[in-house]
Amino acid sequence: MHARKSLFVGLVLLTSVAFAQTKQQKTPQLLLNAQYVYVEPLLDDGKFADPNVSPEDRQAVTNVTYAIEEWGQYKLAARRSEANLVIAVRKGREASAYRGGHVGIHTSPTGGPPKTEGGPITGGETGPKQDLLWVFALNPDGTLAGPYWKNAQDHGLETPNLALFQQFKKDISEAIAAQNKKRKP
């Protein structure tokens, strides 16, 4: 699990700089046709309730969720599995660490008394300093495809502006307007 996160963080570091400086060339049709979106932290694969998600990432998810609701272009999906698109966000930071614990109760497969397990959880994460907003399509098997839109920016998920979300909104709105213009005779 930690190796997967480390690999993903490395990929984020390598690609975020290139995409931060590159404007999206063409908005894919699936972004224009989607109806339902789900917002989650970028590095935690849909585990928003995971205690290791940083408070900053939780707040970014909440802020982008409210912005989507106000915009009205997409409807919010209650669960990731109900979405056409997944918008993943991450607040920029070079490194973060967490320490906590967990307690679990497991029932015995043989019908014996339940066992309580517990232990410490520690870990950390490194990543880009810039805020990230990436948009994925959700495959029928629940895996993510893409990203089909992504950008990085210093303080791009700060309220009240949410500059990264505003850029995504602008790109989608412009693409829809261009599509509608082409359809008119």
Side-chain angles (χ1 to χ4, degrees):
M1 179 76 150
H2 289 294
R4 188 177 79 181
K5 280 188 180 180
S6 297
L7 176 62
F8 188 72
V9 169
L11 291 173
V12 168
L13 286 171
L14 291 173
T15 60
S16 66
V17 174
F19 280 95
Q21 298 172 0
T22 304
K23 179 160 173 47
Q24 303 298 319
Q25 297 300 324
K26 184 177 177 183
T27 305
Q29 194 65 37
L30 67 97
L31 297 181
L32 305 179
N33 295 336
Q35 293 181 350
Y36 292 94
V37 299
Y38 183 77
V39 185
E40 66 184 31
L42 180 59
L43 298 178
D44 290 289
D45 198 29
K47 296 179 183 173
F48 184 71
D50 185 326
N52 300 326
V53 174
S54 75
E56 297 86 3
D57 287 347
R58 287 180 193 277
Q59 189 61 53
V61 168
T62 300
N63 293 343
V64 170
T65 299
Y66 286 137
I68 289 168
E69 199 168 44
E70 286 180 15
W71 179 23
Q73 174 65 35
Y74 303 113
K75 294 175 184 124
L76 292 168
R79 289 182 278 297
R80 184 189 212 204
S81 61
E82 299 169 349
N84 306 112
L85 300 177
V86 174
I87 296 178
V89 297
R90 181 184 189 277
K91 285 293 291 171
R93 58 194 174 275
E94 285 186 25
S96 63
Y98 49 85
R99 181 171 171 83
H102 77 280
V103 175
I105 299 175
H106 301 281
T107 57
S108 170
T110 60
K115 294 181 181 180
T116 303
E117 292 182 357
I121 299 173
T122 58
E125 157 185 32
T126 60
K129 288 190 229 182
Q130 294 183 315
D131 294 349
L132 305 173
L133 189 146
W134 293 10
V135 182
F136 299 89
L138 190 65
N139 291 320
D141 67 357
T143 60
L144 297 178
Y148 290 97
W149 190 98
K150 68 183 192 176
N151 207 340
Q153 182 179 339
D154 289 337
H155 311 289
L157 293 171
E158 294 291 324
T159 55
N161 298 336
L162 292 174
L164 284 171
F165 176 77
Q166 294 304 325
Q167 185 60 53
F168 172 68
K169 179 179 169 180
K170 179 182 176 213
D171 289 352
I172 296 299
S173 297
E174 287 176 356
I176 289 171
Q179 183 180 50
N180 291 340
K181 189 175 182 179
K182 285 181 184 178
R183 289 182 182 165
K184 290 185 179 180

